[in-house]
């Protein structure tokens, strides 16, 4: 008779182990399918200086240009000068005119020449009066500038008022130089008119003293319009002269940008060919605009803005007339502005929005924005100083999304 067999009952471990393995597998699946936090870059809302500028192309130009014309009809001798040659006021011979006998002996021409002498004399007197006015204005502005400097030391006036007095003295100094040039040109025109009248006394062209045109100002020949010998009429343009040191910039701006620019605004003149930008200041915003077609065929309404150089003109990289430059004009600036990087902003409808980070969670926050220079924007409402925001938020995050800030190496 065989012994009875005994059966082992399954232990507790063997009963629980499948449940443990199954639960662990389910936990691993849940962990694998759990949404991971988006990795983003961040920035902090800070307070600091903010400057808004407008960058436009332009060119240099000689401020005072003079076109030399023929005062009478006659035969123009070949012009010996070429563009770029130096000239000296009252000494350099620009052109010589041989008179035409028929026109010089004509009574009508003589009457016109006499009238031209009287007109030139009146223009000289007017230019002399304007020179006296410019000297008086410069003297007054210098006294105002000195008084402003003294008051500024005692903090009796603001820095802006002192800068305004300094700028007015600078502009009046330029006006005095312009008035002196105008007197020289008026005297030159009077001498030309008198020479034309004296030439009419000759009975024929033989032995008649030619009309010589000398330089009214010291500078450089810019353009020669009539080079060859030929017969010309009164008023024919012969050449253009000017002083290359008397430079300013002429910037062509969109009319929508020009309305934000005021005389006296700071300017940084860049891309002119030298290693460092040159400082400038807006002198005039012209009141009239003009239509210009861009290289893409778009019609644009442009306005010319004239800029004076504040830094001395470079000698190692000399600038000339009608050289290309780029001007960065300051339209607004402040030393203490609550600002946020523009990379953290985006549009939702008509509102500016950003994602504020609180405990690694992104919160959609509306923001009211003021001035914007493309890099940072002024925060008027919606964000406190020190708030962390998401830079360049991806489309995968929304209100309440978990995020992880990328560590910059």
């Amino acid at each position: 008779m065989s012994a009875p067999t005994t059966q082992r009952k399954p232990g507790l471990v063997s009963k629980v182990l499948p449940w443990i393995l199954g639960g662990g597998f389910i936990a691993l699946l849940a962990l694998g399918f759990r949404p991971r936090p988006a990795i983003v870059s961040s920035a902090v809302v800070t307070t600091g200086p903010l400057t808004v500028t407008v960058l436009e192309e332009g060119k240099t130009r000689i401020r005072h240009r003079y076109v030399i014309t023929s005062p009478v009809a006659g035969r123009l001798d070949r012009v010996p000068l070429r563009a770029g040659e130096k000239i000296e006021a009252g000494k350099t011979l620009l052109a010589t005119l041989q008179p035409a006998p028929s026109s010089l002996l004509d009574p009508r021409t003589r009457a016109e020449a006499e009238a031209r002498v009287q007109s030139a004399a009146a223009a000289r007197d007017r230019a002399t009066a304007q020179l006296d006015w410019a000297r008086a204005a410069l003297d007054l502005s210098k006294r105002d500038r000195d008084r402003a400097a003294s008051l500024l030391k005692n903090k009796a006036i603001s820095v802006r008022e002192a800068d305004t007095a300094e700028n007015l003295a600078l502009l009046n100094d330029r006006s005095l130089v312009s008035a002196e040039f105008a007197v020289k040109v008026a005297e030159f025109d009077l001498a030309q008119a008198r020479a034309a009248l004296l030439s009419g006394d000759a009975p024929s062209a033989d032995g008649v003293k030619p009309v010589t045109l000398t330089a009214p100002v010291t500078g450089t020949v810019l353009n020669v319009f009539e080079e060859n010998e030929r017969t010309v009429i009164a008023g024919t343009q012969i050449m253009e002269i000017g002083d290359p040191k008397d430079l300013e910039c002429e910037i062509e701006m969109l009319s929508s940008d020009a309305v934000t620019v005021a005389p006296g605004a700071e300017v940084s003149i860049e891309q002119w060919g030298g290693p460092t930008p040159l400082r400038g200041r807006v002198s005039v915003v012209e009141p009239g605009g003009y239509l210009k077609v861009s290289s893409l065929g778009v019609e644009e309404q442009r306005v010319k803005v004239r800029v004076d150089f504040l830094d001395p003109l470079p000698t190692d990289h000399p600038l000339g007339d009608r050289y290309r430059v780029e001007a960065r004009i300051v339209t607004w600036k402040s030393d203490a502005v609550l600002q946020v990087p523009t990379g953290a902003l985006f549009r939702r409808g008509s509102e500016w929005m950003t994602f504020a980070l609180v405990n690694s969670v992104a919160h959609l926050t509306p923001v009211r924005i003021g001035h914007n220079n493309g890099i940072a924007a002024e925060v008027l409402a919606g964000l406190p100083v020190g708030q962390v925001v998401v830079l360049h938020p991806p489309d995968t995050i929304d209100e309440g999304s978990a995020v992880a800030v990328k560590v910059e190496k």
Side-chain angles (χ1 to χ4, degrees):
M1 187 174 182
S2 59
T5 60
T6 59
Q7 295 182 353
R8 293 184 178 180
K9 295 182 179 181
L12 182 60
V13 175
S14 60
K15 291 182 179 180
V16 176
L17 183 60
W19 293 97
I20 295 176
L21 293 177
F25 180 71
I26 294 174
L28 290 175
L29 287 177
L31 184 63
F33 285 103
R34 186 184 64 179
R36 298 181 180 180
I39 300 176
V40 297
S41 299
S42 65
V44 180
V45 179
T46 59
T47 300
L50 183 65
T51 302
V52 180
T53 61
V54 177
L55 181 64
E56 286 290 353
E57 289 187 5
K59 59 180 177 291
T60 60
R61 65 183 293 272
I62 293 178
R63 184 180 287 103
H64 303 109
R65 312 167 73 93
Y66 303 95
V67 178
I68 306 301
T69 61
S70 171
V72 295
R75 190 182 76 252
L76 174 68
D77 290 345
R78 184 174 178 83
V79 177
L81 299 177
R82 299 293 178 268
E85 295 193 33
K86 304 295 183 181
I87 57 175
E88 187 175 353
K91 296 182 179 180
T92 305
L93 178 64
L94 301 181
T96 303
L97 284 164
Q98 303 293 341
S102 59
S103 63
L104 292 177
L105 294 177
D106 183 22
R108 180 178 59 83
T109 303
R110 178 184 295 277
E112 290 177 353
E114 292 175 350
R116 193 176 294 112
V117 170
Q118 296 175 359
S119 175
R124 181 198 58 185
D125 295 340
R126 182 181 61 182
T128 303
Q130 290 177 346
L131 177 61
D132 294 338
W133 180 89
R135 285 173 177 166
L138 177 60
D139 182 64
L140 178 61
S141 61
K142 284 184 176 180
R143 291 198 299 268
D144 290 341
R145 179 191 61 189
D146 296 338
R147 284 194 293 267
S150 177
L151 293 173
L152 181 62
K153 291 181 180 179
N154 299 327
K155 297 183 179 180
I157 62 173
S158 65
V159 176
R160 180 180 180 86
E161 291 174 328
D163 289 343
T164 301
E166 177 69 25
N167 186 39
L168 182 59
L170 178 62
L171 294 178
N172 285 334
D173 183 64
R174 298 287 177 85
S175 298
L176 178 61
V177 174
S178 176
E180 290 174 347
F181 278 136
V183 170
K184 292 179 181 179
V185 172
E187 291 176 349
F188 171 71
D189 291 340
L190 178 59
Q192 283 183 322
R194 285 174 176 171
L197 182 61
L198 292 176
S199 299
D201 295 333
S204 66
D206 297 334
V208 176
K209 184 179 179 181
V211 178
T212 58
L213 307 181
T214 56
V217 295
T218 299
T220 303
V221 177
L222 303 178
N223 296 293
V224 178
F225 304 124
E226 293 292 343
E227 177 182 345
N228 299 320
E229 178 180 349
R230 74 179 188 90
T231 301
V232 296
I233 62 174
T236 300
Q237 295 184 355
I238 300 174
M239 67 177 61
E240 185 180 31
I241 64 175
D243 186 3
K245 297 179 181 179
D246 186 27
L247 278 183
E248 66 178 2
C249 288
E250 184 180 87
I251 312 301
E252 298 179 347
M253 300 186 64
L254 291 172
S255 59
S256 56
D257 292 332
V259 296
T260 64
V261 178
E266 299 177 8
V267 182
S268 176
I269 301 169
E270 307 170 354
Q271 303 297 328
W272 56 273
T276 56
L278 300 175
R279 295 185 305 117
R281 178 176 296 165
V282 173
S283 59
V284 175
V285 179
E286 294 189 356
Y290 60 96
L291 183 66
K292 182 178 180 180
V293 180
S294 68
S295 57
L296 299 178
V298 179
E299 293 185 348
E300 299 173 339
Q301 204 67 21
R302 293 272 177 171
V303 175
K304 290 183 179 179
V305 176
R306 297 202 294 272
V307 176
D308 289 333
F309 286 95
L310 295 183
D311 290 336
L313 294 178
T315 56
D316 53 344
H317 295 76
L319 278 169
D321 184 45
R322 304 190 188 281
Y323 281 27
R324 177 190 176 276
V325 297
E326 289 184 3
R328 191 178 300 274
I329 303 175
V330 176
T331 58
W332 182 87
K333 66 182 299 185
S334 179
D335 295 330
V337 177
L338 183 65
Q339 55 188 282
V340 62
T342 55
L345 301 173
F346 58 92
R347 284 279 194 178
R348 285 276 179 94
S350 60
E351 293 186 343
W352 285 105
M353 309 292 288
T354 188
F355 282 108
L357 288 181
V358 179
N359 297 327
S360 298
V361 176
H363 295 281
L364 189 62
T365 305
V367 186
R368 191 155 61 92
I369 297 300
H371 295 91
N372 189 338
N373 64 3
I375 299 175
E378 179 187 14
V379 178
L380 299 179
L383 291 173
V385 62
Q387 175 65 58
V388 180
V389 294
V390 177
L391 273 180
H392 310 293
D395 296 336
T396 56
I397 69 172
D398 206 341
E399 169 64 30
S401 298
V403 297
V405 177
K406 179 171 58 177
V407 179
E408 301 291 343
K409 296 182 179 180

